[in-house]
Amino acid sequence: MVSNRIIHSLCKSSDCLRKIGARFLDIYVAGGDLSSALQIFDNLPSGIRNVSCWNILLSGFSRMKRNDTVINLFSRMIREDVNPDEFTFSEVLQACSDNKAAFCFWGVQQIHALIMRYGLGLQLVVSNRLIDLYSKNGFVNSAKRVFEDMVVRDSSSWVAMLSGFCKNNREEDAILLYKDMRKFGVIPTPYVFSSVISASTKIEAFNLGEQLHASIYKWGFLSNVFVSNALVTLYSRCGYLTLAEQVFVEMPQKDGVTYNSLISGLSLKGFSDKALQLFEKMQLSSLKPDCVTIASLLGACASLGALQKGRQLHSYATKAGLCSDNIIEGSLLDLYVKCSDIETAHKFFLGSQMQNIVLWNVMLVGYGQMGDLDESFQIFSQMQFKGLQPNQYTYPSILRTCTSVGALYLGEQIHSQVFKTGFWQNVYVCSVLIDMYAKHEKLDAAEKIFWRLNEEDVVSWTSMIAGYAQHDFFVEALKLFRKMQDRGIRSDNIGFASAISACAGIQALDQGRQIHAQSVVSGYSLDHSIGNALIFLYARCGRKQDAYAAFDKIDTKDIISWNGLVSGFAQSGFCEEALKVFSRLHGDGAEANMFTYGSAVSAAANTTNIKQGKQIHVRIIKTGYNAETEASNVLITLYAKCGSLVDARKEFLEMQNKNDVSWNAMITGYSQHGRGNEAIKLFEEMRHLGVKPNHVTYLGVLSACSHVGLVDKGLCYFNSMSKDYGLTPNLEHYASVVDILGRAGHLQRAMKFLETMPIEPDAMIWRTLLSASIVHKNIEIGEEAGHRLLELEPQDSATYVLLSNLYAVLGRWDSRNQTRLLMKDRGIKKEPGRSWIEVKNTIHAFFVGDRLHPLANHIHDFVEELNKRVVMIGYVQDNNSLWNDLELGQKDPTAYIHSEKLAIAFGLLSLPEMIPIRVMKNLRVCSDCHNWIKCVSKVADRALVVRDAYRFHHFADGTCSCNDFW
């Protein structure tokens, strides 16, 4: 150690002493002996210690990362009135940048003030360090002001400012600064490129990333591992995995970050198999994955259901000591939950860091997926008992479980907690609440939450639109969809699918096409849910070719795709097409669900195809759906519509769990078959068992009273709707009362009832009254009803036909002819009568006087034979209600044989005696045909079932189930 006396002996003057002291300081600092350097420095006279000596000492301690000492020396230097220079501040700013404590001691503003005080604010090295210090501590705007005040900038200045923007999540500013940098001709460094690419990745500016890639290629920086890693991350996050893999393959050197970036990108975009394969290559390269990579791989295993591979990764994470990481814990628990290994998930959960709320949320999701509400609620309660507050992901998890299991009461309780804890304005939580209330048909509650939201979030709008569409509020759904677009909110795929489904509900084909076009423009041309909605739209609107085209465009067809065709065609009247699709569905190996069977049974019912209906029934039994209440309900309707009331009753009696739909189907079936007393008896039994009747129930029982002429009982039931059950009658119920009174001949009472209705009568009510006026030959009320009908539905052919029939039965031929002439002048054509009968798996259709059937001559000859036989037992042909004497003399009788007569004759010729003859007609059977069929059932000794547009008629031994009251 050189003493102070030796130094003084070597120097005769203070200038020499200053030089020698500085030399010795430099030697000891360079050698790393900072203690000796500090001792020499302290022994120098204060007048000898100039700024150079201080700087030498500061640089030494700075190099050794002795930042606290640097700050203390700087403070001492200021106290001793030594003026610092730019080198001094450079070292001090570096020390503050590396040491948060040092930064807090001084404060960046104090240091900046000293810099300005000593006139060093424009020094390049000082400004650069100042920008860096401000940026690292979050004062990026202050850094920006320093940068803008600089007269001269070097590449370090630009890099420091660009780095500051990136570190403080100011990606747009970083990109703009890069563009300015290039305008000023500053050559970018690899660090600049990696920073700007990272900024582009965060804001998903893919086009800019591509341009930067070209510049990187131009400057020859592709070999730089940091730049290439940034490119791999950019392409992976933006979904351009082919480009990411290309950059990866061309990299001369790869590190852990390279593999981690591509593995994460592949996992994120659903390429789980590739992610796992790349991980195996990474291990062969002796590179270790980080926590993010392991978490990504566990996510890939979860999405693939690869539980065994996930267990291996769990073992790897345990050996590497990574299992305590929060991200790894969450991913492991998510793996076991998604792979339905709830037992292992629960064990892992109990052994994890219980203070991590993410884990509690994952457990809530796991038990929710299993539909275990009790366990979900227990987890929810325990979490709060341990002092963990639910967050914006906790509430949606438990609320979704409440929604899926139908526990609305519990969901409402959690809603009140949401309100108390301040999450009532959280968009994510509110969107799940809207979905819960909407799915439980509590649309008023859903609307209150929706309109209270301040933030216009697409998920909440979509949830509300979907809620309207699911509960048949199609107009409201489309209005809200339009309002969403007017506010500039871009719809997602669920919103488009719901809007298209709403269009299908009201058969708004043109509007559906427009929304389809919008979805394509928005990038959803291949979306599966939209494709399924389009199938149903076109099928429901009767556009067979368009429906099949939409169906064929879907690569992976699920049962919803098939159901769209089956249910759509069934509802649009293409029932035979629906049944063809149903047969094709099974041929293609698709597995039908309850909705499929329900639609197919409805199609069979509407075509009265009891044979195919029974085949579908057999399938339902084989698949186990026969235990479902909904299955039995549609089967009751099938057999009732096909005229087999015995089978319908059998299905009803064998049901384990009956709901209101079951009782309604059976009551309606009895009513349609003229079994009014049985319908009323079943209705009373229903009420006795405490099953609450609804609007459909009352329609069935009122129709039953109408068909058997129970006037007083029918009126009593009508009054009980509102009195006993609080049900408000609708137009169909009022029409049923008018029908009850009209059929019984109480036309004046029917007219008075109609005049006192609280709602305006519609065409159905006036048509009912007109039909009754024809039966009872009441010209005054009939004309009033006919004229009202012409005002309401001037294009409906049935009105003109009924009115002309009224005049015909009263012999007012001039008035009848004027009505028909008016009909002709308006270009309105009467719907032709048509009847169908199935013989040997083939549907045979007949029109009036039909001569097109291959056996037409044989059929007409047989009708003549039947006519002779029925005349012998008292049948008298009644055409006077349709033609006058002159017309009767001019017409060929065989040309006007009604279609049901031809169908019945063909059935008698073709079907064995043990098979009942079932005929379906599109119009109401006339009185002449009704009498004829009664007589035929006696002379042929056959049971005949005719289903017309109003009801079933069961003919046997010369009588009809309607008792001539229809």
Side-chain angles (χ1 to χ4, degrees):
M1 175 67 189
V2 181
S3 66
N4 193 44
R5 186 181 301 124
I6 295 173
I7 293 174
H8 276 277
S9 67
L10 291 172
C11 306
K12 300 283 185 163
S13 64
S14 60
D15 185 59
C16 183
L17 181 62
R18 185 180 295 111
K19 290 179 181 179
I20 293 296
R23 179 59 182 158
F24 274 105
L25 280 175
D26 196 39
I27 291 171
Y28 282 111
V29 166
D33 190 356
L34 296 178
S35 298
S36 298
L38 185 59
Q39 186 177 354
I40 292 174
F41 180 81
D42 287 337
N43 288 329
L44 287 173
S46 59
I48 300 302
R49 295 196 294 265
N50 63 3
V51 67
S52 297
C53 297
W54 286 95
N55 287 345
I56 292 170
L57 203 59
L58 286 170
S59 68
F61 282 103
S62 179
R63 282 200 300 272
M64 299 300 291
K65 300 298 181 183
R66 300 275 294 276
N67 298 311
D68 291 339
T69 306
V70 173
I71 298 301
N72 291 331
L73 283 171
F74 176 67
S75 301
R76 180 179 165 189
M77 177 181 177
I78 297 299
R79 288 197 301 272
E80 293 184 12
D81 292 329
V82 178
N83 293 338
D85 60 11
E86 65 271 19
F87 184 82
T88 311
F89 280 112
S90 175
E91 296 297 337
V92 172
L93 289 169
Q94 182 63 48
C96 289
S97 180
D98 293 339
N99 190 316
K100 284 282 184 183
F103 170 77
C104 294
F105 176 78
W106 269 97
V108 66
Q109 291 181 331
Q110 293 181 37
I111 297 174
H112 196 173
L114 285 173
I115 291 171
M116 301 306 295
R117 173 185 167 186
Y118 290 106
L120 300 173
L122 299 179
Q123 294 297 320
L124 195 61
V125 65
V126 174
S127 296
N128 289 348
R129 287 287 171 84
L130 197 56
I131 291 168
D132 183 62
L133 180 60
Y134 271 129
S135 298
K136 282 184 177 178
N137 290 279
F139 298 98
V140 69
N141 288 329
S142 298
K144 185 180 178 183
R145 282 194 291 271
V146 173
F147 179 81
E148 289 173 345
D149 291 340
M150 292 177 69
V151 178
V152 178
R153 304 184 187 106
D154 62 3
S155 61
S156 298
S157 313
W158 292 90
V159 170
M161 190 67 250
L162 194 144
S163 175
F165 281 137
C166 291
K167 289 174 182 175
N168 288 277
N169 299 319
R170 299 271 289 270
E171 287 80 16
E172 291 87 352
D173 290 327
I175 291 169
L176 291 173
L177 187 68
Y178 170 77
K179 291 179 179 179
D180 290 340
M181 176 181 173
R182 298 298 296 123
K183 286 179 183 177
F184 282 97
V186 180
I187 298 174
T189 63
Y191 176 80
V192 169
F193 277 122
S194 64
S195 298
V196 180
I197 292 170
S198 297
S200 303
T201 303
K202 289 181 180 179
I203 63 173
E204 298 182 354
F206 174 70
N207 291 334
L208 177 62
E210 279 190 314
Q211 296 172 19
L212 290 168
H213 191 171
S215 298
I216 291 165
Y217 182 83
K218 176 183 176 182
W219 288 93
F221 291 143
L222 276 175
S223 59
N224 184 281
V225 68
F226 300 106
V227 174
S228 293
N229 284 346
L231 283 170
V232 171
T233 304
L234 167 74
Y235 290 132
S236 298
R237 295 285 173 83
C238 292
Y240 295 91
L241 294 173
T242 303
L243 293 175
E245 290 174 327
Q246 183 179 337
V247 174
F248 177 86
V249 169
E250 293 176 355
M251 289 177 66
Q253 291 183 328
K254 301 176 183 71
D255 59 11
V257 177
T258 317
Y259 280 92
N260 292 338
S261 298
L262 189 53
I263 288 171
S264 298
L266 290 167
S267 301
L268 187 67
K269 297 301 179 182
F271 293 92
S272 304
D273 290 326
K274 283 189 174 183
L276 292 170
Q277 291 171 8
L278 190 61
F279 173 63
E280 293 176 359
K281 290 183 180 179
M282 182 180 184
Q283 289 179 304
L284 293 174
S285 300
S286 300
L287 295 171
K288 293 184 178 181
D290 59 11
C291 291
V292 176
T293 311
I294 295 295
S296 299
L297 291 166
L298 287 169
C301 292
S303 64
L304 289 171
L307 181 59
Q308 189 57 38
K309 186 66 177 180
R311 292 184 190 278
Q312 294 173 8
L313 286 167
H314 188 174
S315 299
Y316 179 89
T318 302
K319 291 177 183 177
L322 301 174
C323 279
S324 59
D325 184 86
N326 284 348
I327 299 176
I328 297 292
E329 277 191 331
S331 298
L332 281 168
L333 191 59
D334 185 62
L335 166 75
Y336 293 121
V337 164
K338 286 184 177 177
C339 291
S340 300
D341 189 355
I342 199 71
E343 185 177 346
T344 303
H346 195 76
K347 288 179 182 177
F348 179 79
F349 171 71
L350 293 176
S352 63
Q353 296 181 21
M354 302 293 284
Q355 296 304 311
N356 185 357
I357 195 170
V358 174
L359 304 183
W360 292 84
N361 290 343
V362 173
M363 286 306 298
L364 279 175
V365 171
Y367 284 115
Q369 289 174 346
M370 295 177 62
D372 192 338
L373 181 63
D374 293 337
E375 199 66 41
S376 293
F377 193 68
Q378 189 175 354
I379 291 284
F380 182 71
S381 302
Q382 285 179 353
M383 180 183 74
Q384 295 174 86
F385 180 76
K386 290 182 177 291
L388 286 173
Q389 291 299 318
N391 62 14
Q392 62 175 337
Y393 303 106
T394 312
Y395 288 119
S397 299
I398 185 69
L399 285 169
R400 285 196 183 96
T401 306
C402 294
T403 303
S404 64
V405 301
L408 179 63
Y409 67 96
L410 185 57
E412 289 176 325
Q413 293 177 30
I414 295 170
H415 184 189
S416 65
Q417 186 175 336
V418 166
F419 197 86
K420 290 176 182 177
T421 52
F423 283 96
W424 60 277
Q425 282 190 320
N426 182 278
V427 173
Y428 182 43
V429 175
C430 286
S431 65
V432 179
L433 280 169
I434 290 168
D435 182 65
M436 179 186 75
Y437 284 118
K439 284 182 177 175
H440 286 88
E441 210 166 349
K442 294 278 187 178
L443 293 174
D444 290 344
E447 286 172 342
K448 287 179 182 178
I449 299 169
F450 176 74
W451 292 115
R452 194 172 58 215
L453 282 174
N454 294 323
E455 187 177 343
E456 294 185 340
D457 169 66
V458 66
V459 178
S460 56
W461 283 78
T462 299
S463 298
M464 197 68 240
I465 292 168
Y468 281 135
Q470 287 165 4
H471 295 290
D472 298 345
F473 290 93
F474 303 123
V475 175
E476 288 80 357
L478 292 172
K479 283 181 179 178
L480 193 62
F481 181 76
R482 172 62 63 187
K483 189 173 289 186
M484 180 178 76
Q485 291 183 312
D486 291 342
R487 294 196 181 187
I489 304 171
R490 293 185 62 185
S491 177
D492 59 8
N493 59 328
I494 304 301
F496 281 121
S498 299
I500 292 170
S501 297
C503 291
I506 57 174
Q507 299 182 57
L509 179 61
D510 291 339
Q511 190 172 357
R513 288 185 187 277
Q514 292 172 11
I515 297 172
H516 180 193
Q518 292 173 15
S519 69
V520 172
V521 171
S522 300
Y524 294 115
S525 59
L526 300 177
D527 184 80
H528 195 74
S529 59
I530 293 175
N532 285 340
L534 287 169
I535 292 170
F536 182 64
L537 168 70
Y538 293 128
R540 181 70 181 84
C541 293
R543 308 282 297 188
K544 288 199 292 185
Q545 290 185 346
D546 292 334
Y548 280 122
F551 181 80
D552 292 337
K553 283 182 181 178
I554 296 180
D555 293 329
T556 307
K557 299 172 180 64
D558 57 15
I559 191 58
I560 299 174
S561 313
W562 289 96
N563 286 346
L565 287 178
V566 177
S567 64
F569 286 142
Q571 292 178 45
S572 62
F574 292 93
C575 296
E576 293 179 6
E577 196 71 30
L579 293 172
K580 286 180 183 178
V581 174
F582 179 75
S583 299
R584 177 184 163 193
L585 177 155
H586 289 285
D588 284 7
E591 188 173 343
N593 61 16
M594 187 59 239
F595 186 80
T596 321
Y597 287 119
S599 300
V601 169
S602 296
N606 290 330
T607 57
T608 64
N609 192 336
I610 192 170
K611 185 174 181 180
Q612 190 160 4
K614 286 190 173 183
Q615 292 173 356
I616 299 170
H617 190 174
V618 172
R619 286 186 179 273
I620 291 173
I621 294 172
K622 287 182 178 179
T623 52
Y625 283 113
N626 59 309
E628 299 285 341
T629 301
E630 292 78 8
S632 294
N633 290 343
V634 295
L635 287 168
I636 292 169
T637 303
L638 164 74
Y639 290 125
K641 284 189 174 183
C642 291
S644 182
L645 208 55
V646 173
D647 288 324
R649 176 71 176 173
K650 181 175 181 291
E651 187 67 30
F652 178 78
L653 292 175
E654 291 177 353
M655 289 182 69
Q656 295 296 319
N657 300 303
K658 300 179 181 70
N659 59 14
D660 58 341
V661 178
S662 317
W663 291 90
N664 292 346
M666 200 65 233
I667 289 170
T668 302
Y670 275 136
S671 176
Q672 289 176 335
H673 286 266
R675 307 277 285 274
N677 291 322
E678 287 91 334
I680 292 168
K681 182 180 178 182
L682 196 63
F683 173 69
E684 294 296 347
E685 183 184 345
M686 174 185 179
R687 293 208 294 182
H688 178 72
L689 292 173
V691 182
K692 186 179 178 181
N694 56 24
H695 287 86
V696 178
T697 319
Y698 273 102
L699 276 177
V701 77
L702 289 174
S703 177
C705 291
S706 172
H707 287 151
V708 293
L710 296 176
V711 177
D712 292 336
K713 202 170 190 67
L715 293 174
C716 181
Y717 283 141
F718 176 78
N719 292 327
S720 76
M721 281 186 68
S722 54
K723 181 181 177 182
D724 297 337
Y725 297 102
L727 298 171
T728 302
N730 58 36
L731 284 166
E732 289 180 292
H733 298 99
Y734 284 106
S736 295
V737 174
V738 172
D739 192 42
I740 289 172
L741 294 169
R743 283 177 184 270
H746 302 299
L747 295 176
Q748 292 296 337
R749 286 181 66 184
M751 194 66 182
K752 287 180 181 179
F753 176 81
L754 189 148
E755 291 170 350
T756 58
M757 282 173 50
I759 49 180
E760 193 70 23
D762 66 350
M764 177 175 57
I765 294 175
W766 289 111
R767 190 177 297 110
T768 301
L769 190 60
L770 176 55
S771 297
S773 299
I774 297 171
V775 174
H776 298 287
K777 301 181 180 180
N778 190 313
I779 186 64
E780 181 183 350
I781 293 177
E783 281 191 323
E784 174 68 16
H787 293 150
R788 293 294 186 94
L789 269 174
L790 289 174
E791 291 175 0
L792 291 171
E793 294 183 347
Q795 298 300 313
D796 182 24
S797 63
T799 303
Y800 298 90
V801 173
L802 287 172
L803 195 55
S804 66
N805 287 347
L806 172 66
Y807 292 129
V809 297
L810 292 170
R812 293 177 54 175
W813 304 110
D814 290 341
S815 299
R816 188 207 66 165
N817 293 338
Q818 288 177 4
T819 304
R820 292 190 173 185
L821 184 61
L822 178 64
M823 183 179 178
K824 183 178 180 181
D825 291 341
R826 292 182 176 179
I828 299 167
K829 294 183 178 180
K830 175 184 176 293
E831 181 183 3
R834 192 179 183 192
S835 297
W836 295 265
I837 185 171
E838 182 182 358
V839 174
K840 296 180 182 178
N841 299 324
T842 302
I843 302 295
H844 297 261
F846 294 90
F847 290 94
V848 61
D850 202 328
R851 289 282 184 180
L852 298 176
H853 194 277
L855 299 176
N857 292 333
H858 193 26
I859 294 169
H860 278 270
D861 290 342
F862 188 58
V863 169
E864 286 187 27
E865 182 184 336
L866 287 172
N867 286 338
K868 293 175 183 178
R869 293 169 65 185
V870 296
V871 166
M872 293 176 64
I873 63 169
Y875 165 73
V876 179
Q877 188 173 12
D878 177 20
N879 282 326
N880 289 322
S881 61
L882 302 176
W883 304 315
N884 58 31
D885 293 335
L886 179 62
E887 289 173 327
L888 284 172
Q890 293 176 345
K891 296 183 181 295
D892 175 12
T894 63
Y896 286 88
I897 299 174
H898 282 188
S899 58
E900 57 266 48
K901 290 184 178 182
L902 296 171
I904 288 171
F906 176 66
L908 290 171
L909 287 169
S910 308
L911 294 173
E913 291 185 3
M914 70 286 300
I915 298 178
I917 294 171
R918 305 176 190 274
V919 173
M920 184 174 73
K921 185 176 182 181
N922 62 331
L923 302 178
R924 183 185 183 199
V925 63
C926 71
S927 59
D928 175 67
C929 288
H930 191 269
N931 291 330
W932 184 85
I933 301 170
K934 283 198 303 180
C935 294
V936 168
S937 69
K938 186 174 182 65
V939 299
D941 193 21
R942 294 288 292 273
L944 307 172
V945 180
V946 177
R947 175 191 170 190
D948 68 5
Y950 292 88
R951 59 176 297 165
F952 278 91
H953 298 266
H954 292 261
F955 299 92
D957 196 29
T959 63
C960 178
S961 59
C962 72
N963 295 319
D964 298 336
F965 196 84
W966 80 101

